[in-house]
Amino acid sequence: MACALLVVVLMALAICQGSAQGSGPSQQPSAAAKEYLDGHNQARAEVGVGPLSWSEQLANATSRLVRYQRNKMGCKFANLSSSKYGANQMWASGQAVTPRMVVDSWVGEKKYYNHTDNSCLPDHRCGVYTQVVWKNSLQLGCAQASCADSSSLTICFYDPPGNVIGESPY
């Protein structure tokens, strides 16, 4: 059975399972990781929120999850409801999707978000945008899988998680 190549976005060439939590990156992020970070941090700066840092631990976790979703679940959306991290995901079909395109899609929800009353316009969703700019989130890790049907699945984890009910993202 031929599977499309897995495109995994990791910060480092080697996967270090035992890195200390909160110790920060020990190496320069990869080009793709930098693209995820730059998109997130630009959106955060626009609303006065500090930047995220790349987490190899979160990138490893998202890498495992997108591979599982590709190999065992037909490249469908992951059930992230029980995750200890905040999360965003995007499924795309028929085109190559860069990290910046993914983040720009999530940030595109900003037009539906009303910061004054911390709400989203009726019949729209804003949760992926508010997770991108959540003021208490400090770390980011993302991965993408290319699927056999020419689709792709991208997942980003955020730590600490955002979208706390009743709290404003910034």
Side-chain angles (χ1 to χ4, degrees):
M1 180 165 115
C3 290
L5 290 175
L6 174 66
V7 179
V8 178
V9 180
L10 294 174
M11 178 182 81
L13 295 175
I15 298 174
C16 300
Q17 297 288 359
S19 62
Q21 287 189 9
S23 64
S26 59
Q27 299 179 17
Q28 290 297 320
S30 70
K34 186 170 177 359
E35 200 173 331
Y36 283 116
L37 272 173
D38 288 350
H40 277 82
N41 289 336
Q42 180 181 346
R44 294 168 69 86
E46 288 174 4
V47 296
V49 175
L52 295 168
S53 63
W54 188 257
S55 166
E56 186 174 331
Q57 178 183 351
L58 295 179
N60 291 339
T62 57
S63 174
R64 287 188 300 272
L65 183 55
V66 296
R67 284 183 289 155
Y68 174 81
Q69 289 301 122
R70 182 198 64 185
N71 297 338
K72 304 289 186 189
M73 305 302 288
C75 221
K76 303 294 183 225
F77 276 119
N79 178 354
L80 302 171
S81 61
S82 62
S83 176
K84 66 180 180 177
Y85 303 117
N88 280 338
Q89 59 185 324
M90 180 178 165
W91 182 85
S93 180
Q95 66 176 354
V97 182
T98 66
R100 186 59 185 236
M101 291 167 68
V102 170
V103 178
D104 286 350
S105 171
W106 295 335
V107 172
E109 286 187 357
K110 180 180 184 176
K111 64 184 168 241
Y112 306 121
Y113 179 67
N114 180 339
H115 180 64
T116 304
D117 64 3
N118 192 29
S119 68
C120 195
L121 292 177
D123 301 320
H124 294 286
R125 295 184 179 202
C126 301
V128 295
Y129 168 69
T130 56
Q131 177 60 78
V132 167
V133 298
W134 196 263
K135 64 184 173 249
N136 295 331
S137 294
L138 302 173
Q139 295 185 318
L140 172 71
C142 305
Q144 184 178 84
S146 295
C147 306
D149 64 356
S150 298
S151 66
S152 66
L153 178 65
T154 305
I155 298 176
C156 289
F157 280 162
Y158 304 81
D159 192 32
N163 287 336
V164 177
I165 295 172
E167 290 187 22
S168 177
Y170 52 90

PDB file of all heavy atoms in Angstrom, residues 10-20 26-27 56-58 60 64:
ATOM      1  N   LEU A  10       9.486  19.525  12.542  1.00  0.00           N
ATOM      2  CA  LEU A  10      10.152  19.395  13.834  1.00  0.00           C
ATOM      3  C   LEU A  10      11.186  20.490  13.969  1.00  0.00           C
ATOM      4  O   LEU A  10      11.755  20.948  12.983  1.00  0.00           O
ATOM      5  CB  LEU A  10      10.852  18.041  13.955  1.00  0.00           C
ATOM      6  CG  LEU A  10       9.944  16.837  13.986  1.00  0.00           C
ATOM      7  CD1 LEU A  10      10.753  15.558  13.954  1.00  0.00           C
ATOM      8  CD2 LEU A  10       9.077  16.867  15.220  1.00  0.00           C
ATOM      9  N   MET A  11      11.466  20.862  15.154  1.00  0.00           N
ATOM     10  CA  MET A  11      12.454  21.901  15.376  1.00  0.00           C
ATOM     11  C   MET A  11      13.852  21.387  15.115  1.00  0.00           C
ATOM     12  O   MET A  11      14.672  22.079  14.541  1.00  0.00           O
ATOM     13  CB  MET A  11      12.368  22.414  16.818  1.00  0.00           C
ATOM     14  CG  MET A  11      13.398  23.461  17.125  1.00  0.00           C
ATOM     15  SD  MET A  11      13.317  24.006  18.799  1.00  0.00           S
ATOM     16  CE  MET A  11      14.219  22.691  19.582  1.00  0.00           C
ATOM     17  N   ALA A  12      14.159  20.191  15.555  1.00  0.00           N
ATOM     18  CA  ALA A  12      15.527  19.691  15.466  1.00  0.00           C
ATOM     19  C   ALA A  12      15.589  18.492  14.543  1.00  0.00           C
ATOM     20  O   ALA A  12      14.584  17.874  14.233  1.00  0.00           O
ATOM     21  CB  ALA A  12      16.008  19.293  16.850  1.00  0.00           C
ATOM     22  N   LEU A  13      16.768  18.149  14.102  1.00  0.00           N
ATOM     23  CA  LEU A  13      16.941  16.971  13.262  1.00  0.00           C
ATOM     24  C   LEU A  13      16.732  15.698  14.063  1.00  0.00           C
ATOM     25  O   LEU A  13      16.190  14.731  13.563  1.00  0.00           O
ATOM     26  CB  LEU A  13      18.342  16.979  12.638  1.00  0.00           C
ATOM     27  CG  LEU A  13      18.608  18.124  11.673  1.00  0.00           C
ATOM     28  CD1 LEU A  13      20.067  18.098  11.227  1.00  0.00           C
ATOM     29  CD2 LEU A  13      17.691  18.032  10.483  1.00  0.00           C
ATOM     30  N   ALA A  14      17.180  15.682  15.292  1.00  0.00           N
ATOM     31  CA  ALA A  14      17.018  14.511  16.151  1.00  0.00           C
ATOM     32  C   ALA A  14      15.836  14.720  17.068  1.00  0.00           C
ATOM     33  O   ALA A  14      15.576  15.826  17.511  1.00  0.00           O
ATOM     34  CB  ALA A  14      18.275  14.289  16.981  1.00  0.00           C
ATOM     35  N   ILE A  15      15.120  13.659  17.367  1.00  0.00           N
ATOM     36  CA  ILE A  15      13.995  13.740  18.277  1.00  0.00           C
ATOM     37  C   ILE A  15      14.502  13.387  19.667  1.00  0.00           C
ATOM     38  O   ILE A  15      14.967  12.283  19.909  1.00  0.00           O
ATOM     39  CB  ILE A  15      12.866  12.773  17.863  1.00  0.00           C
ATOM     40  CG1 ILE A  15      12.352  13.157  16.482  1.00  0.00           C
ATOM     41  CG2 ILE A  15      11.763  12.763  18.885  1.00  0.00           C
ATOM     42  CD1 ILE A  15      11.342  12.187  15.923  1.00  0.00           C
ATOM     43  N   CYS A  16      14.372  14.333  20.569  1.00  0.00           N
ATOM     44  CA  CYS A  16      14.848  14.132  21.940  1.00  0.00           C
ATOM     45  C   CYS A  16      13.641  13.965  22.829  1.00  0.00           C
ATOM     46  O   CYS A  16      12.980  14.926  23.169  1.00  0.00           O
ATOM     47  CB  CYS A  16      15.694  15.308  22.404  1.00  0.00           C
ATOM     48  SG  CYS A  16      17.151  15.566  21.391  1.00  0.00           S
ATOM     49  N   GLN A  17      13.325  12.761  23.193  1.00  0.00           N
ATOM     50  CA  GLN A  17      12.152  12.489  23.997  1.00  0.00           C
ATOM     51  C   GLN A  17      12.283  13.041  25.412  1.00  0.00           C
ATOM     52  O   GLN A  17      11.305  13.369  26.035  1.00  0.00           O
ATOM     53  CB  GLN A  17      11.892  10.974  24.074  1.00  0.00           C
ATOM     54  CG  GLN A  17      11.589  10.345  22.755  1.00  0.00           C
ATOM     55  CD  GLN A  17      10.218  10.720  22.228  1.00  0.00           C
ATOM     56  OE1 GLN A  17       9.466  11.439  22.845  1.00  0.00           O
ATOM     57  NE2 GLN A  17       9.904  10.220  21.050  1.00  0.00           N
ATOM     58  N   GLY A  18      13.478  13.128  25.939  1.00  0.00           N
ATOM     59  CA  GLY A  18      13.636  13.473  27.345  1.00  0.00           C
ATOM     60  C   GLY A  18      13.950  14.922  27.611  1.00  0.00           C
ATOM     61  O   GLY A  18      14.473  15.232  28.666  1.00  0.00           O
ATOM     62  N   SER A  19      13.629  15.838  26.703  1.00  0.00           N
ATOM     63  CA  SER A  19      13.952  17.234  26.970  1.00  0.00           C
ATOM     64  C   SER A  19      13.111  17.760  28.122  1.00  0.00           C
ATOM     65  O   SER A  19      11.969  17.387  28.304  1.00  0.00           O
ATOM     66  CB  SER A  19      13.740  18.076  25.722  1.00  0.00           C
ATOM     67  OG  SER A  19      12.401  18.034  25.324  1.00  0.00           O
ATOM     68  N   ALA A  20      13.707  18.633  28.912  1.00  0.00           N
ATOM     69  CA  ALA A  20      13.041  19.166  30.097  1.00  0.00           C
ATOM     70  C   ALA A  20      11.925  20.110  29.686  1.00  0.00           C
ATOM     71  O   ALA A  20      12.084  20.918  28.789  1.00  0.00           O
ATOM     72  CB  ALA A  20      14.048  19.894  30.972  1.00  0.00           C
ATOM     73  N   SER A  26      16.713  24.318  22.345  1.00  0.00           N
ATOM     74  CA  SER A  26      18.153  24.204  22.484  1.00  0.00           C
ATOM     75  C   SER A  26      18.843  24.413  21.140  1.00  0.00           C
ATOM     76  O   SER A  26      20.047  24.552  21.096  1.00  0.00           O
ATOM     77  CB  SER A  26      18.514  22.831  23.057  1.00  0.00           C
ATOM     78  OG  SER A  26      18.033  21.817  22.210  1.00  0.00           O
ATOM     79  N   GLN A  27      18.094  24.396  20.054  1.00  0.00           N
ATOM     80  CA  GLN A  27      18.643  24.587  18.724  1.00  0.00           C
ATOM     81  C   GLN A  27      17.743  25.561  17.975  1.00  0.00           C
ATOM     82  O   GLN A  27      16.629  25.837  18.390  1.00  0.00           O
ATOM     83  CB  GLN A  27      18.689  23.254  17.967  1.00  0.00           C
ATOM     84  CG  GLN A  27      19.548  22.221  18.639  1.00  0.00           C
ATOM     85  CD  GLN A  27      19.525  20.911  17.862  1.00  0.00           C
ATOM     86  OE1 GLN A  27      19.151  20.863  16.708  1.00  0.00           O
ATOM     87  NE2 GLN A  27      19.926  19.849  18.510  1.00  0.00           N
ATOM     88  N   GLU A  56      10.003  21.589  21.179  1.00  0.00           N
ATOM     89  CA  GLU A  56      10.280  20.298  20.559  1.00  0.00           C
ATOM     90  C   GLU A  56       9.340  19.222  21.110  1.00  0.00           C
ATOM     91  O   GLU A  56       8.883  18.342  20.380  1.00  0.00           O
ATOM     92  CB  GLU A  56      11.733  19.921  20.819  1.00  0.00           C
ATOM     93  CG  GLU A  56      12.166  18.668  20.112  1.00  0.00           C
ATOM     94  CD  GLU A  56      13.642  18.421  20.294  1.00  0.00           C
ATOM     95  OE1 GLU A  56      14.412  19.363  20.465  1.00  0.00           O
ATOM     96  OE2 GLU A  56      13.996  17.235  20.250  1.00  0.00           O
ATOM     97  N   GLN A  57       9.029  19.302  22.392  1.00  0.00           N
ATOM     98  CA  GLN A  57       8.116  18.338  23.009  1.00  0.00           C
ATOM     99  C   GLN A  57       6.733  18.397  22.348  1.00  0.00           C
ATOM    100  O   GLN A  57       6.151  17.360  22.025  1.00  0.00           O
ATOM    101  CB  GLN A  57       7.995  18.616  24.505  1.00  0.00           C
ATOM    102  CG  GLN A  57       7.030  17.693  25.210  1.00  0.00           C
ATOM    103  CD  GLN A  57       6.859  18.041  26.684  1.00  0.00           C
ATOM    104  OE1 GLN A  57       7.572  18.869  27.224  1.00  0.00           O
ATOM    105  NE2 GLN A  57       5.918  17.398  27.314  1.00  0.00           N
ATOM    106  N   LEU A  58       6.215  19.593  22.138  1.00  0.00           N
ATOM    107  CA  LEU A  58       4.908  19.726  21.487  1.00  0.00           C
ATOM    108  C   LEU A  58       4.980  19.310  20.029  1.00  0.00           C
ATOM    109  O   LEU A  58       4.051  18.684  19.504  1.00  0.00           O
ATOM    110  CB  LEU A  58       4.389  21.160  21.609  1.00  0.00           C
ATOM    111  CG  LEU A  58       4.078  21.654  23.020  1.00  0.00           C
ATOM    112  CD1 LEU A  58       3.596  23.100  22.987  1.00  0.00           C
ATOM    113  CD2 LEU A  58       3.066  20.764  23.707  1.00  0.00           C
ATOM    114  N   ASN A  60       6.933  17.050  18.760  1.00  0.00           N
ATOM    115  CA  ASN A  60       6.966  15.584  18.756  1.00  0.00           C
ATOM    116  C   ASN A  60       5.569  15.009  18.983  1.00  0.00           C
ATOM    117  O   ASN A  60       5.174  14.036  18.333  1.00  0.00           O
ATOM    118  CB  ASN A  60       7.930  15.067  19.820  1.00  0.00           C
ATOM    119  CG  ASN A  60       9.374  15.359  19.486  1.00  0.00           C
ATOM    120  OD1 ASN A  60       9.727  15.584  18.340  1.00  0.00           O
ATOM    121  ND2 ASN A  60      10.212  15.361  20.504  1.00  0.00           N
ATOM    122  N   ARG A  64       3.474  12.681  16.267  1.00  0.00           N
ATOM    123  CA  ARG A  64       2.883  11.355  16.539  1.00  0.00           C
ATOM    124  C   ARG A  64       1.394  11.343  16.206  1.00  0.00           C
ATOM    125  O   ARG A  64       0.881  10.396  15.631  1.00  0.00           O
ATOM    126  CB  ARG A  64       3.118  10.958  17.996  1.00  0.00           C
ATOM    127  CG  ARG A  64       4.552  10.577  18.306  1.00  0.00           C
ATOM    128  CD  ARG A  64       4.723  10.007  19.701  1.00  0.00           C
ATOM    129  NE  ARG A  64       4.327  10.928  20.757  1.00  0.00           N
ATOM    130  CZ  ARG A  64       5.121  11.827  21.321  1.00  0.00           C
ATOM    131  NH1 ARG A  64       6.371  11.944  20.918  1.00  0.00           N
ATOM    132  NH2 ARG A  64       4.674  12.603  22.291  1.00  0.00           N
TER     133      ARG A  64
END
